[in-house]
Amino acid sequence: MWKPTQALMDTITHYSQFPATGVSLRQMVQFGRNPSAGTLFKASQFLMKCHLFRELPIGICSRLRKLLAFQNPFFPEKYNGSPIPLETGLANPDIEPGAYRSSPWLTATNGTGNGRKAQRRYYATVDDGVRWPPEIVDYNKRFTKILQNIKHRHDPVVTTMAMGINEYKRKRQRMQIDNSIQSFLDRFYMSRIGIRMLIGQHVALNSAPEQEDYVGIICTKTNVRELAQEAIENARFVCEDYYGLFDAPKVQLVCKPDLHFMYVPGHLSHMLFETLKNSLRAVVETHGSDSEEFPPVKLIVAEGKEDITIKISDEGGGIPRSAIPLVWTYMYTTVESTPPIDPDFNKSDFKAPMAGFGYGLPISRLYARYFGGDLKLISMEGYGTDVYLHLNRLSSSSEPLQ
Ligand code: ADP
Ligand code: MG
């Protein structure tokens, strides 16, 4: 059985003691744009200013430590809910090399070893991720390649973790998660979004050909209407496939054709796709998949000085008021059986599930909050639901790292 070396454990202990620092969307665009003698210089400048050298190891190591045992909310009785002091780090049997199998996280997911799979990815990343090449300019190509590999390796983490949580739910016969697990997962995924943003930005600035209106993965003129249209098509396609429908409920789009702002298109697509799938599912299940006609879902985009707000309204029967707080938790779904997904899936044959992990809303809200926005939901039980997606167009708020 593979074991982390003492050197690896020391590295993790070292980096996970530092607090992470935030960076705003506007700062990232400005760094990427600074006049420079070519892409390499631009990249190294971005790196220096964004502290990627410092931030990436800190982010990765902090999360690995949390996964291992520290501040682990899954088994509070073992730790009385109190964090283990850092000085005792390596003395803690749960993090000691060789003894890591007894980590409470692993016990929680004992069986298929999802917890261990997630951990192994982080170990591997610490191993090649924190020893940055000393000379950025010379090694930049290799460095970018390493980053690309890291990002790719971590693609399945959300799915693996979701499966681990499901197992915890089943084994402990819990229908809900408590606040400490919820906030643990919120912090975990928020920090993951942040790190992937930084890596994505570096890789795009260094390896992708320069695209007009793009600085890395940030698009300075993100066209809301075009992205919304694409998300509608994708969500309707998944819905038709899932329910065997000839024609999914229609989505009416009200949006100025030239409405654009600075944002990460990938994040916006994710939020629109998830909320639209929820609305389509609610409409189909309320009116019956054999229904001749469905009431349309409405997607309305408003442009304010401070926010761009997107409202998605459906007549899908709404949500009982008592269930509203639950929809934001990571285990809540009204789908009876979770769709089977291999956590080591190959991205190219990955089919987005219609619903079933209970991750759509909480993760979308993290994306919205990451750049100072928010996601809200108002339901009229017996009629339908309105989801409000607020996106901060000033883009000046720092990413909310813990
Ligand atoms: P999933 O879709 O995988 O169940 P989500 O986080 O996207 O997970 O949503 C959680 C739950 O919230 C859904 O299972 C559903 O019961 C409820 N929900 C979300 N959006 C709507 C909606 N527009 N209308 C009715 N119920 C909804
Ligand atoms: Mg969903």
Side-chain angles (χ1 to χ4, degrees):
M1 159 120 26
W2 177 88
K3 286 177 192 163
T5 61
Q6 184 63 44
L8 197 51
M9 297 311 298
D10 288 346
T11 311
I12 293 161
T13 310
H14 173 73
Y15 281 111
S16 59
Q17 66 187 306
F18 302 111
T21 45
V23 55
S24 79
L25 195 54
R26 188 165 293 278
Q27 277 172 318
M28 280 195 228
V29 167
Q30 278 161 1
F31 301 150
R33 259 200 189 143
N34 266 350
S36 64
T39 340
L40 287 186
F41 177 53
K42 194 158 88 176
S44 63
Q45 218 181 10
F46 172 80
L47 269 180
M48 288 309 183
K49 291 195 177 166
C50 268
H51 313 297
L52 184 54
F53 261 104
R54 194 176 154 270
E55 289 305 316
L56 183 62
I58 292 173
I60 293 277
C61 292
S62 304
R63 259 172 310 141
L64 179 55
R65 269 186 76 153
K66 281 173 192 149
L67 269 187
L68 281 165
F70 292 75
Q71 299 163 356
N72 185 322
F74 289 90
F75 289 78
E77 69 276 12
K78 193 158 174 188
Y79 297 105
N80 288 328
S82 57
I84 291 157
L86 282 172
E87 326 64 271
T88 62
L90 289 175
N92 165 21
D94 285 320
I95 198 170
E96 242 171 18
Y100 76 107
R101 265 165 294 162
S102 63
S103 152
W105 169 256
L106 294 182
T107 321
T109 59
N110 206 8
T112 58
N114 286 312
R116 190 164 63 229
K117 277 187 200 156
Q119 282 184 21
R120 281 292 292 273
R121 290 199 169 88
Y122 282 93
Y123 273 125
T125 291
V126 175
D127 208 21
D128 62 17
V130 301
R131 284 185 245 121
W132 299 138
E135 196 38 73
I136 301 168
V137 180
D138 289 353
Y139 288 90
N140 198 46
K141 264 201 186 139
R142 232 183 78 211
F143 176 52
T144 305
K145 186 79 199 143
I146 291 172
L147 287 177
Q148 244 165 345
N149 289 343
I150 289 173
K151 189 154 184 274
H152 184 68
R153 176 187 301 133
H154 288 250
D155 283 342
V157 163
V158 174
T159 317
T160 325
M161 288 283 287
M163 293 170 78
I165 312 278
N166 272 332
E167 230 172 293
Y168 165 80
K169 182 173 155 184
R170 193 168 46 78
K171 285 202 171 138
R172 289 255 163 155
Q173 299 187 333
R174 299 271 160 86
M175 290 315 291
Q176 292 164 26
I177 50 177
D178 62 26
N179 284 343
S180 61
I181 294 182
Q182 176 72 13
S183 58
F184 169 86
L185 291 170
D186 270 339
R187 285 198 306 273
F188 186 84
Y189 290 123
M190 188 59 116
S191 120
R192 183 176 187 272
I193 291 173
I195 287 183
R196 290 177 80 79
M197 174 78 207
L198 288 178
I199 296 183
Q201 196 63 359
H202 179 84
V203 171
L205 281 171
N206 283 279
S207 48
E210 280 204 29
Q211 259 182 296
E212 213 190 323
D213 301 331
Y214 272 83
V215 178
I217 55 171
I218 301 165
C219 179
T220 53
K221 288 188 178 159
T222 305
N223 185 303
V224 184
R225 190 187 171 86
E226 278 170 22
L227 278 187
Q229 245 153 0
E230 205 184 317
I232 291 169
E233 263 172 51
N234 292 340
R236 290 187 74 236
F237 178 81
V238 172
C239 175
E240 282 162 10
D241 191 50
Y242 184 78
Y243 293 104
L245 293 175
F246 180 67
D247 208 12
K250 300 262 183 308
V251 181
Q252 289 171 358
L253 174 59
V254 181
C255 177
K256 280 205 294 193
D258 58 345
L259 178 58
H260 57 72
F261 73 129
M262 182 162 76
Y263 211 70
V264 180
H267 290 189
L268 183 52
S269 298
H270 182 100
M271 297 183 280
L272 290 170
F273 180 60
E274 288 300 331
T275 45
L276 281 166
K277 274 193 307 174
N278 285 349
S279 287
L280 293 175
R281 173 181 165 225
V283 171
V284 173
E285 295 197 357
T286 305
H287 297 264
S289 55
D290 48 359
S291 179
E292 297 269 296
E293 220 178 327
F294 298 106
V297 173
K298 295 189 190 97
L299 197 158
I300 299 161
V301 185
E303 182 185 22
K305 281 205 183 74
E306 202 177 304
D307 275 357
I308 295 217
T309 306
I310 302 176
K311 178 168 80 168
I312 296 151
S313 307
D314 65 58
E315 295 176 30
I319 302 166
R321 200 146 54 95
S322 60
I324 297 288
L326 300 179
V327 302
W328 302 108
T329 65
Y330 290 90
M331 287 208 302
Y332 182 77
T333 176
T334 43
V335 173
E336 303 226 320
S337 63
T338 306
I341 287 186
D342 178 1
D344 299 317
F345 64 82
N346 177 347
K347 257 223 147 165
S348 55
D349 20 270
F350 178 64
K351 206 168 95 185
M354 181 69 193
F357 279 108
Y359 265 54
L361 286 176
I363 297 272
S364 295
R365 186 167 70 175
L366 290 184
Y367 274 118
R369 289 182 172 173
Y370 182 69
F371 283 126
D374 210 351
L375 184 63
K376 299 205 157 130
L377 184 148
I378 294 182
S379 131
M380 283 169 77
E381 194 193 7
Y383 180 76
T385 306
D386 287 344
V387 170
Y388 290 87
L389 179 54
H390 299 280
L391 305 167
N392 184 323
R393 62 181 319 193
L394 304 173
S395 314
S396 50
S397 58
S398 268
E399 46 163 5
L401 293 171
Q402 72 247 47

mmCIF file of all heavy atoms in Angstrom, residues 48-86:
data_model
loop_
_atom_site.group_PDB
_atom_site.id
_atom_site.type_symbol
_atom_site.label_atom_id
_atom_site.label_comp_id
_atom_site.label_asym_id
_atom_site.label_seq_id
_atom_site.Cartn_x
_atom_site.Cartn_y
_atom_site.Cartn_z
ATOM 1 N N MET A 48 3.861 36.375 -9.939
ATOM 2 C CA MET A 48 4.406 37.085 -8.802
ATOM 3 C C MET A 48 3.305 37.842 -8.097
ATOM 4 O O MET A 48 3.173 37.818 -6.886
ATOM 5 C CB MET A 48 5.472 38.091 -9.262
ATOM 6 C CG MET A 48 6.733 37.434 -9.714
ATOM 7 S SD MET A 48 7.289 36.290 -8.458
ATOM 8 C CE MET A 48 8.792 35.730 -9.181
ATOM 9 N N LYS A 49 2.526 38.554 -8.882
ATOM 10 C CA LYS A 49 1.536 39.431 -8.266
ATOM 11 C C LYS A 49 0.387 38.655 -7.668
ATOM 12 O O LYS A 49 -0.215 39.061 -6.693
ATOM 13 C CB LYS A 49 1.048 40.439 -9.287
ATOM 14 C CG LYS A 49 2.134 41.432 -9.636
ATOM 15 C CD LYS A 49 1.569 42.632 -10.347
ATOM 16 C CE LYS A 49 2.676 43.621 -10.616
ATOM 17 N NZ LYS A 49 2.270 44.642 -11.563
ATOM 18 N N CYS A 50 0.033 37.571 -8.307
ATOM 19 C CA CYS A 50 -1.095 36.794 -7.792
ATOM 20 C C CYS A 50 -0.660 35.807 -6.724
ATOM 21 O O CYS A 50 -1.465 35.058 -6.200
ATOM 22 C CB CYS A 50 -1.769 36.022 -8.908
ATOM 23 S SG CYS A 50 -3.085 36.940 -9.612
ATOM 24 N N HIS A 51 0.627 35.774 -6.449
ATOM 25 C CA HIS A 51 1.155 34.876 -5.419
ATOM 26 C C HIS A 51 0.830 33.427 -5.708
ATOM 27 O O HIS A 51 0.625 32.652 -4.794
ATOM 28 C CB HIS A 51 0.592 35.200 -4.031
ATOM 29 C CG HIS A 51 0.627 36.626 -3.675
ATOM 30 N ND1 HIS A 51 1.789 37.327 -3.553
ATOM 31 C CD2 HIS A 51 -0.375 37.487 -3.412
ATOM 32 C CE1 HIS A 51 1.508 38.582 -3.232
ATOM 33 N NE2 HIS A 51 0.214 38.710 -3.142
ATOM 34 N N LEU A 52 0.735 33.068 -6.982
ATOM 35 C CA LEU A 52 0.373 31.678 -7.263
ATOM 36 C C LEU A 52 1.402 30.733 -6.650
ATOM 37 O O LEU A 52 1.059 29.683 -6.122
ATOM 38 C CB LEU A 52 0.253 31.443 -8.772
ATOM 39 C CG LEU A 52 -0.212 30.061 -9.185
ATOM 40 C CD1 LEU A 52 -1.533 29.706 -8.504
ATOM 41 C CD2 LEU A 52 -0.392 29.970 -10.678
ATOM 42 N N PHE A 53 2.665 31.155 -6.682
ATOM 43 C CA PHE A 53 3.700 30.333 -6.087
ATOM 44 C C PHE A 53 3.382 30.002 -4.639
ATOM 45 O O PHE A 53 3.587 28.912 -4.163
ATOM 46 C CB PHE A 53 5.050 31.081 -6.128
ATOM 47 C CG PHE A 53 5.885 30.637 -7.260
ATOM 48 C CD1 PHE A 53 6.015 31.423 -8.382
ATOM 49 C CD2 PHE A 53 6.534 29.418 -7.210
ATOM 50 C CE1 PHE A 53 6.777 31.003 -9.444
ATOM 51 C CE2 PHE A 53 7.304 29.000 -8.265
ATOM 52 C CZ PHE A 53 7.423 29.789 -9.390
ATOM 53 N N ARG A 54 2.892 31.039 -3.971
ATOM 54 C CA ARG A 54 2.626 30.874 -2.555
ATOM 55 C C ARG A 54 1.237 30.258 -2.354
ATOM 56 O O ARG A 54 1.052 29.359 -1.556
ATOM 57 C CB ARG A 54 2.703 32.255 -1.915
ATOM 58 C CG ARG A 54 2.786 32.235 -0.427
ATOM 59 C CD ARG A 54 2.968 33.653 0.101
ATOM 60 N NE ARG A 54 2.449 33.712 1.450
ATOM 61 C CZ ARG A 54 1.206 34.007 1.747
ATOM 62 N NH1 ARG A 54 0.364 34.295 0.801
ATOM 63 N NH2 ARG A 54 0.805 34.013 3.002
ATOM 64 N N GLU A 55 0.281 30.758 -3.135
ATOM 65 C CA GLU A 55 -1.112 30.395 -2.883
ATOM 66 C C GLU A 55 -1.452 28.944 -3.218
ATOM 67 O O GLU A 55 -2.229 28.314 -2.529
ATOM 68 C CB GLU A 55 -2.054 31.314 -3.670
ATOM 69 C CG GLU A 55 -2.105 32.731 -3.151
ATOM 70 C CD GLU A 55 -2.455 32.804 -1.679
ATOM 71 O OE1 GLU A 55 -3.386 32.085 -1.257
ATOM 72 O OE2 GLU A 55 -1.803 33.556 -0.943
ATOM 73 N N LEU A 56 -0.912 28.451 -4.299
ATOM 74 C CA LEU A 56 -1.294 27.098 -4.707
ATOM 75 C C LEU A 56 -0.881 26.056 -3.670
ATOM 76 O O LEU A 56 -1.706 25.270 -3.215
ATOM 77 C CB LEU A 56 -0.728 26.777 -6.089
ATOM 78 C CG LEU A 56 -1.136 25.418 -6.639
ATOM 79 C CD1 LEU A 56 -2.649 25.328 -6.811
ATOM 80 C CD2 LEU A 56 -0.471 25.156 -7.969
ATOM 81 N N PRO A 57 0.393 26.067 -3.219
ATOM 82 C CA PRO A 57 0.766 25.095 -2.179
ATOM 83 C C PRO A 57 -0.056 25.258 -0.915
ATOM 84 O O PRO A 57 -0.465 24.269 -0.305
ATOM 85 C CB PRO A 57 2.238 25.424 -1.903
ATOM 86 C CG PRO A 57 2.725 26.188 -3.059
ATOM 87 C CD PRO A 57 1.552 26.871 -3.657
ATOM 88 N N ILE A 58 -0.333 26.512 -0.534
ATOM 89 C CA ILE A 58 -1.100 26.726 0.700
ATOM 90 C C ILE A 58 -2.491 26.127 0.561
ATOM 91 O O ILE A 58 -2.982 25.404 1.424
ATOM 92 C CB ILE A 58 -1.196 28.238 1.036
ATOM 93 C CG1 ILE A 58 0.193 28.768 1.419
ATOM 94 C CG2 ILE A 58 -2.176 28.477 2.174
ATOM 95 C CD1 ILE A 58 0.246 30.275 1.612
ATOM 96 N N GLY A 59 -3.127 26.422 -0.581
ATOM 97 C CA GLY A 59 -4.493 25.925 -0.799
ATOM 98 C C GLY A 59 -4.546 24.408 -0.801
ATOM 99 O O GLY A 59 -5.374 23.789 -0.135
ATOM 100 N N ILE A 60 -3.637 23.801 -1.547
ATOM 101 C CA ILE A 60 -3.641 22.340 -1.683
ATOM 102 C C ILE A 60 -3.353 21.680 -0.334
ATOM 103 O O ILE A 60 -4.044 20.763 0.101
ATOM 104 C CB ILE A 60 -2.568 21.889 -2.713
ATOM 105 C CG1 ILE A 60 -2.947 22.364 -4.110
ATOM 106 C CG2 ILE A 60 -2.355 20.394 -2.672
ATOM 107 C CD1 ILE A 60 -3.905 21.507 -4.864
ATOM 108 N N CYS A 61 -2.323 22.165 0.358
ATOM 109 C CA CYS A 61 -1.915 21.527 1.615
ATOM 110 C C CYS A 61 -2.981 21.719 2.691
ATOM 111 O O CYS A 61 -3.241 20.813 3.477
ATOM 112 C CB CYS A 61 -0.576 22.072 2.086
ATOM 113 S SG CYS A 61 0.760 21.590 1.003
ATOM 114 N N SER A 62 -3.606 22.887 2.715
ATOM 115 C CA SER A 62 -4.628 23.109 3.737
ATOM 116 C C SER A 62 -5.766 22.124 3.552
ATOM 117 O O SER A 62 -6.283 21.553 4.506
ATOM 118 C CB SER A 62 -5.202 24.509 3.648
ATOM 119 O OG SER A 62 -4.177 25.438 3.734
ATOM 120 N N ARG A 63 -6.157 21.942 2.295
ATOM 121 C CA ARG A 63 -7.287 21.040 2.087
ATOM 122 C C ARG A 63 -6.918 19.595 2.358
ATOM 123 O O ARG A 63 -7.719 18.830 2.870
ATOM 124 C CB ARG A 63 -7.871 21.206 0.698
ATOM 125 C CG ARG A 63 -9.135 22.053 0.796
ATOM 126 C CD ARG A 63 -9.683 22.429 -0.519
ATOM 127 N NE ARG A 63 -8.621 22.984 -1.348
ATOM 128 C CZ ARG A 63 -8.513 22.745 -2.629
ATOM 129 N NH1 ARG A 63 -9.365 21.960 -3.211
ATOM 130 N NH2 ARG A 63 -7.551 23.291 -3.317
ATOM 131 N N LEU A 64 -5.707 19.222 2.026
ATOM 132 C CA LEU A 64 -5.294 17.850 2.289
ATOM 133 C C LEU A 64 -5.322 17.592 3.792
ATOM 134 O O LEU A 64 -5.816 16.567 4.257
ATOM 135 C CB LEU A 64 -3.901 17.588 1.721
ATOM 136 C CG LEU A 64 -3.348 16.189 1.965
ATOM 137 C CD1 LEU A 64 -4.322 15.133 1.453
ATOM 138 C CD2 LEU A 64 -2.013 16.014 1.281
ATOM 139 N N ARG A 65 -4.831 18.553 4.551
ATOM 140 C CA ARG A 65 -4.827 18.375 6.011
ATOM 141 C C ARG A 65 -6.241 18.228 6.537
ATOM 142 O O ARG A 65 -6.512 17.409 7.404
ATOM 143 C CB ARG A 65 -4.154 19.568 6.674
ATOM 144 C CG ARG A 65 -2.661 19.324 6.850
ATOM 145 C CD ARG A 65 -2.025 20.423 7.614
ATOM 146 N NE ARG A 65 -2.328 20.339 9.029
ATOM 147 C CZ ARG A 65 -1.531 20.830 9.959
ATOM 148 N NH1 ARG A 65 -0.402 21.390 9.615
ATOM 149 N NH2 ARG A 65 -1.858 20.760 11.217
ATOM 150 N N LYS A 66 -7.140 19.024 5.981
ATOM 151 C CA LYS A 66 -8.522 18.932 6.445
ATOM 152 C C LYS A 66 -9.118 17.580 6.085
ATOM 153 O O LYS A 66 -9.859 16.993 6.852
ATOM 154 C CB LYS A 66 -9.354 20.063 5.848
ATOM 155 C CG LYS A 66 -9.110 21.341 6.607
ATOM 156 C CD LYS A 66 -9.775 22.510 5.967
ATOM 157 C CE LYS A 66 -9.240 23.773 6.620
ATOM 158 N NZ LYS A 66 -9.226 24.885 5.712
ATOM 159 N N LEU A 67 -8.786 17.115 4.896
ATOM 160 C CA LEU A 67 -9.296 15.810 4.474
ATOM 161 C C LEU A 67 -8.761 14.697 5.360
ATOM 162 O O LEU A 67 -9.424 13.707 5.616
ATOM 163 C CB LEU A 67 -8.852 15.497 3.044
ATOM 164 C CG LEU A 67 -9.765 15.915 1.920
ATOM 165 C CD1 LEU A 67 -9.215 15.359 0.617
ATOM 166 C CD2 LEU A 67 -11.170 15.387 2.132
ATOM 167 N N LEU A 68 -7.536 14.853 5.802
ATOM 168 C CA LEU A 68 -6.924 13.796 6.584
ATOM 169 C C LEU A 68 -7.558 13.660 7.956
ATOM 170 O O LEU A 68 -7.949 12.593 8.365
ATOM 171 C CB LEU A 68 -5.426 14.074 6.748
ATOM 172 C CG LEU A 68 -4.590 13.713 5.535
ATOM 173 C CD1 LEU A 68 -3.232 14.332 5.628
ATOM 174 C CD2 LEU A 68 -4.488 12.201 5.400
ATOM 175 N N ALA A 69 -7.667 14.729 8.679
ATOM 176 C CA ALA A 69 -8.206 14.611 10.022
ATOM 177 C C ALA A 69 -8.521 15.945 10.655
ATOM 178 O O ALA A 69 -9.481 16.087 11.366
ATOM 179 C CB ALA A 69 -7.230 13.879 10.932
ATOM 180 N N PHE A 70 -7.683 16.920 10.359
ATOM 181 C CA PHE A 70 -7.782 18.183 11.062
ATOM 182 C C PHE A 70 -9.147 18.810 10.830
ATOM 183 O O PHE A 70 -9.607 18.899 9.713
ATOM 184 C CB PHE A 70 -6.707 19.141 10.560
ATOM 185 C CG PHE A 70 -5.341 18.679 10.944
ATOM 186 C CD1 PHE A 70 -4.753 17.614 10.288
ATOM 187 C CD2 PHE A 70 -4.667 19.286 11.974
ATOM 188 C CE1 PHE A 70 -3.500 17.181 10.641
ATOM 189 C CE2 PHE A 70 -3.412 18.851 12.335
ATOM 190 C CZ PHE A 70 -2.829 17.800 11.675
ATOM 191 N N GLN A 71 -9.758 19.286 11.843
ATOM 192 C CA GLN A 71 -11.030 19.990 11.764
ATOM 193 C C GLN A 71 -12.037 19.204 10.949
ATOM 194 O O GLN A 71 -12.836 19.759 10.216
ATOM 195 C CB GLN A 71 -10.839 21.380 11.148
ATOM 196 C CG GLN A 71 -9.926 22.239 11.978
ATOM 197 C CD GLN A 71 -9.406 23.432 11.207
ATOM 198 O OE1 GLN A 71 -9.661 23.584 10.034
ATOM 199 N NE2 GLN A 71 -8.663 24.270 11.883
ATOM 200 N N ASN A 72 -11.958 17.905 11.063
ATOM 201 C CA ASN A 72 -12.871 17.061 10.312
ATOM 202 C C ASN A 72 -14.230 17.000 11.000
ATOM 203 O O ASN A 72 -14.332 16.558 12.133
ATOM 204 C CB ASN A 72 -12.266 15.653 10.220
ATOM 205 C CG ASN A 72 -13.087 14.742 9.351
ATOM 206 O OD1 ASN A 72 -14.317 14.806 9.375
ATOM 207 N ND2 ASN A 72 -12.437 13.901 8.595
ATOM 208 N N PRO A 73 -15.279 17.486 10.352
ATOM 209 C CA PRO A 73 -16.572 17.584 11.032
ATOM 210 C C PRO A 73 -17.386 16.295 10.946
ATOM 211 O O PRO A 73 -18.448 16.207 11.530
ATOM 212 C CB PRO A 73 -17.270 18.682 10.246
ATOM 213 C CG PRO A 73 -16.753 18.510 8.865
ATOM 214 C CD PRO A 73 -15.344 17.997 8.993
ATOM 215 N N PHE A 74 -16.873 15.301 10.228
ATOM 216 C CA PHE A 74 -17.697 14.114 10.022
ATOM 217 C C PHE A 74 -17.808 13.279 11.297
ATOM 218 O O PHE A 74 -18.813 12.651 11.547
ATOM 219 C CB PHE A 74 -17.131 13.258 8.889
ATOM 220 C CG PHE A 74 -17.331 13.903 7.553
ATOM 221 C CD1 PHE A 74 -16.378 14.748 7.027
ATOM 222 C CD2 PHE A 74 -18.511 13.712 6.849
ATOM 223 C CE1 PHE A 74 -16.579 15.366 5.811
ATOM 224 C CE2 PHE A 74 -18.714 14.318 5.637
ATOM 225 C CZ PHE A 74 -17.751 15.149 5.114
ATOM 226 N N PHE A 75 -16.736 13.281 12.097
ATOM 227 C CA PHE A 75 -16.757 12.491 13.309
ATOM 228 C C PHE A 75 -16.411 13.359 14.515
ATOM 229 O O PHE A 75 -15.359 13.208 15.135
ATOM 230 C CB PHE A 75 -15.793 11.309 13.185
ATOM 231 C CG PHE A 75 -16.299 10.282 12.224
ATOM 232 C CD1 PHE A 75 -16.181 10.491 10.867
ATOM 233 C CD2 PHE A 75 -16.950 9.138 12.665
ATOM 234 C CE1 PHE A 75 -16.677 9.571 9.964
ATOM 235 C CE2 PHE A 75 -17.442 8.221 11.762
ATOM 236 C CZ PHE A 75 -17.314 8.438 10.419
ATOM 237 N N PRO A 76 -17.298 14.310 14.829
ATOM 238 C CA PRO A 76 -16.962 15.274 15.887
ATOM 239 C C PRO A 76 -16.729 14.600 17.220
ATOM 240 O O PRO A 76 -15.934 15.083 18.027
ATOM 241 C CB PRO A 76 -18.183 16.194 15.928
ATOM 242 C CG PRO A 76 -19.264 15.466 15.209
ATOM 243 C CD PRO A 76 -18.616 14.515 14.266
ATOM 244 N N GLU A 77 -17.352 13.437 17.450
ATOM 245 C CA GLU A 77 -17.191 12.795 18.760
ATOM 246 C C GLU A 77 -15.729 12.416 19.009
ATOM 247 O O GLU A 77 -15.252 12.394 20.119
ATOM 248 C CB GLU A 77 -18.122 11.586 18.917
ATOM 249 C CG GLU A 77 -17.804 10.373 18.041
ATOM 250 C CD GLU A 77 -18.393 10.470 16.634
ATOM 251 O OE1 GLU A 77 -18.857 11.575 16.254
ATOM 252 O OE2 GLU A 77 -18.391 9.464 15.908
ATOM 253 N N LYS A 78 -14.998 12.171 17.918
ATOM 254 C CA LYS A 78 -13.620 11.770 18.064
ATOM 255 C C LYS A 78 -12.723 12.956 18.425
ATOM 256 O O LYS A 78 -11.726 12.812 19.101
ATOM 257 C CB LYS A 78 -13.136 11.138 16.754
ATOM 258 C CG LYS A 78 -11.828 10.425 16.893
ATOM 259 C CD LYS A 78 -11.641 9.408 15.796
ATOM 260 C CE LYS A 78 -10.248 8.811 15.890
ATOM 261 N NZ LYS A 78 -9.921 7.980 14.785
ATOM 262 N N TYR A 79 -13.104 14.133 17.929
ATOM 263 C CA TYR A 79 -12.251 15.301 18.156
ATOM 264 C C TYR A 79 -12.951 16.377 18.965
ATOM 265 O O TYR A 79 -12.441 17.471 19.087
ATOM 266 C CB TYR A 79 -11.819 15.881 16.809
ATOM 267 C CG TYR A 79 -10.991 14.905 16.051
ATOM 268 C CD1 TYR A 79 -11.528 14.210 14.963
ATOM 269 C CD2 TYR A 79 -9.696 14.625 16.444
ATOM 270 C CE1 TYR A 79 -10.777 13.271 14.289
ATOM 271 C CE2 TYR A 79 -8.942 13.695 15.767
ATOM 272 C CZ TYR A 79 -9.487 13.024 14.702
ATOM 273 O OH TYR A 79 -8.754 12.108 14.043
ATOM 274 N N ASN A 80 -14.131 16.062 19.491
ATOM 275 C CA ASN A 80 -14.933 17.041 20.206
ATOM 276 C C ASN A 80 -15.141 18.300 19.378
ATOM 277 O O ASN A 80 -15.332 19.378 19.899
ATOM 278 C CB ASN A 80 -14.264 17.465 21.522
ATOM 279 C CG ASN A 80 -14.342 16.344 22.519
ATOM 280 O OD1 ASN A 80 -15.308 15.581 22.492
ATOM 281 N ND2 ASN A 80 -13.353 16.238 23.376
ATOM 282 N N GLY A 81 -15.042 18.169 18.080
ATOM 283 C CA GLY A 81 -15.262 19.308 17.200
ATOM 284 C C GLY A 81 -14.141 20.334 17.228
ATOM 285 O O GLY A 81 -14.191 21.321 16.534
ATOM 286 N N SER A 82 -13.112 20.091 18.047
ATOM 287 C CA SER A 82 -12.083 21.126 18.139
ATOM 288 C C SER A 82 -10.908 20.787 17.230
ATOM 289 O O SER A 82 -10.522 19.632 17.098
ATOM 290 C CB SER A 82 -11.590 21.246 19.577
ATOM 291 O OG SER A 82 -11.120 19.992 19.994
ATOM 292 N N PRO A 83 -10.347 21.826 16.578
ATOM 293 C CA PRO A 83 -9.230 21.560 15.684
ATOM 294 C C PRO A 83 -8.018 21.056 16.458
ATOM 295 O O PRO A 83 -7.821 21.426 17.619
ATOM 296 C CB PRO A 83 -8.924 22.923 15.066
ATOM 297 C CG PRO A 83 -9.765 23.916 15.757
ATOM 298 C CD PRO A 83 -10.729 23.218 16.645
ATOM 299 N N ILE A 84 -7.242 20.215 15.810
ATOM 300 C CA ILE A 84 -6.038 19.702 16.454
ATOM 301 C C ILE A 84 -4.947 20.763 16.299
ATOM 302 O O ILE A 84 -4.731 21.278 15.220
ATOM 303 C CB ILE A 84 -5.620 18.388 15.784
ATOM 304 C CG1 ILE A 84 -6.664 17.343 16.128
ATOM 305 C CG2 ILE A 84 -4.248 17.943 16.233
ATOM 306 C CD1 ILE A 84 -6.743 16.210 15.177
ATOM 307 N N PRO A 85 -4.287 21.143 17.399
ATOM 308 C CA PRO A 85 -3.283 22.206 17.301
ATOM 309 C C PRO A 85 -2.208 21.848 16.289
ATOM 310 O O PRO A 85 -1.819 20.685 16.171
ATOM 311 C CB PRO A 85 -2.693 22.283 18.712
ATOM 312 C CG PRO A 85 -3.583 21.481 19.578
ATOM 313 C CD PRO A 85 -4.394 20.572 18.733
ATOM 314 N N LEU A 86 -1.750 22.841 15.564
ATOM 315 C CA LEU A 86 -0.795 22.591 14.495
ATOM 316 C C LEU A 86 0.498 21.949 14.989
ATOM 317 O O LEU A 86 1.045 21.077 14.333
ATOM 318 C CB LEU A 86 -0.464 23.895 13.776
ATOM 319 C CG LEU A 86 -1.530 24.360 12.796
ATOM 320 C CD1 LEU A 86 -1.217 25.744 12.292
ATOM 321 C CD2 LEU A 86 -1.652 23.385 11.636
#
